[in-house]
Structure formats: structure tokens, C-alpha cells
Amino acid sequence: MNPAMTSGVTTEPAILDATELTSDPELEVRFAESAHRILADLVSGGAALGWVEPPSRDEVAELLSHIVSAVQTGDASLRVAYLDRRIVGLGYWLRYARPTHRPHADLEKIAVDAAAHGRGVGRALTAALIADAREAGIEVLTLDARGDNTNALRLYRSLGFTEYGRLPGFVAVGERRYDKVFYMLDFRQQG
């Protein structure tokens, strides 16, 4: 087990990768349930994670299974954050499936339990996923975010992402409309 997780109360998040997570059956079982709770709670609170209604346990389990399978083939990275021996966040990127886009990946979700906001979890998760992408030889890491998600957009810019496009009023949540903002981190431009 990760040493940062065995010492009790922590101030820095411990970030595990999918290999560490799946090598410990107890962690793996708790992860699916915790991931569902985090995602469902955030969506219930209006978080911009791609769902209008909270996802079901089965939907989250299927998503996690897909991501772990992609990690095993080198087509994804999954990171999980722990604080005080509790899962408080997760994030992942997936390599693009289209053959002409295979050198690139999309950072699809970063989700942090509302109770852990402001403790550096999102930054630690995103930084670990960026490092994984660089190590995997990804050329361009992309993401899109809802335009009103100002804290996330600020975080991405602080980590080197740049905006490359925007679709005004593209995201529909009931009657409300939000911009869809596209960001990229081009590793080819970094020595």
C-alpha cells in the first residue's frame, strides 16, 4: 500500500494509479463504490461532469471497467486521490480511437469530492495525469469544460493548457445553456 495512505491523517493527497489500485482487492472494491458516490454527489450538486442526472452504480462500474481495460492496453491513465485514507477524487484520460488521432488523448474527467475542494486534490490528480500522458508519448492532451466552471479552467491554465476553441451555448442543462471550452496541452511544443 502507498506509504502516504498508512500514516493516518494527511495534508497532501496520495495519488494512486490503476496498477496500484487493482493490485489491492480491498482498494479496488471500495473504489467503485466511492467513485459512484463522488460522481453522483457532484452531479446532484450541478457539477459539470457530462451528466444531467446522477449516473447509476452500474453506469459508473461500466465506465471504470472500460477505463481499466484501456489502461491495460496503454490507451488510458486512471488516477485516484486519497486524503485521510479516504477516496476523494478520480481522473482519467483516454487515447483517441480514430487511427489518425492515436498520438493524442483526451482528459475526460477530473472529479473531486466537494468536501475536499480547496485541498489541492484536483491539481495533484491533473498533474499526475499530465505526467502519465507525457510518459506515454502523448503528443497533445486535450480537454473540454463547461464555460462556467471557472475554477477548473483556471487550474488547467495554471498547468499549461491553452484554450483553442469555444462553442457558445453548446452545453444544455435543462433550459440553461453554457459554452463548451476546448483546451490543449501540446507536448510537442515543450522541449
Side-chain angles (χ1 to χ4, degrees):
M1 180 173 277
N2 186 312
M5 292 178 46
T6 59
S7 61
V9 175
T10 58
T11 56
E12 295 290 315
I15 307 295
L16 274 63
D17 65 22
T19 305
E20 293 168 305
L21 184 68
T22 57
S23 68
D24 183 333
E26 181 184 331
L27 282 180
E28 190 174 12
V29 168
R30 286 195 327 232
F31 171 57
E33 184 59 35
S34 295
H36 174 258
R37 178 189 47 78
I38 290 167
L39 292 168
D41 287 352
L42 288 170
V43 172
S44 290
L49 289 169
W51 289 285
V52 174
E53 296 296 324
S56 69
R57 280 183 170 77
D58 288 344
E59 188 176 0
V60 171
E62 185 177 320
L63 173 66
L64 295 175
S65 175
H66 170 70
I67 296 164
V68 169
S69 292
V71 166
Q72 293 166 346
T73 61
D75 291 333
S77 176
L78 170 66
R79 291 292 185 146
V80 181
Y82 284 80
L83 271 175
D84 306 330
R85 300 181 51 84
R86 189 173 69 84
I87 296 172
V88 294
L90 64 138
Y92 67 92
W93 57 255
L94 287 168
R95 191 178 293 271
Y96 283 94
R98 185 180 295 175
T100 56
H101 296 180
R102 297 280 303 151
H104 315 296
D106 192 53
L107 183 60
E108 296 201 5
K109 290 203 192 322
I110 298 287
V112 177
D113 188 333
H117 286 182
R119 297 196 51 195
V121 175
R123 176 171 295 281
L125 280 168
T126 307
L129 289 164
I130 289 169
D132 292 346
R134 193 177 270 123
E135 185 177 315
I138 297 299
E139 292 179 11
V140 179
L141 184 62
T142 62
L143 65 87
D144 64 76
R146 204 166 77 188
D148 68 327
N149 198 348
T150 55
N151 289 338
L153 296 174
R154 187 177 320 111
L155 169 66
Y156 299 139
R157 284 190 303 272
S158 77
L159 291 170
F161 284 87
T162 57
E163 183 177 330
Y164 70 91
R166 183 178 289 254
L167 291 172
F170 188 80
V171 179
V173 180
E175 297 299 315
R176 294 177 307 240
R177 298 294 181 265
Y178 303 94
D179 290 358
K180 182 175 184 175
V181 184
F182 298 93
Y183 274 63
M184 63 180 270
L185 182 57
D186 191 340
F187 297 117
R188 301 169 301 183
Q189 304 300 317
Q190 301 173 359

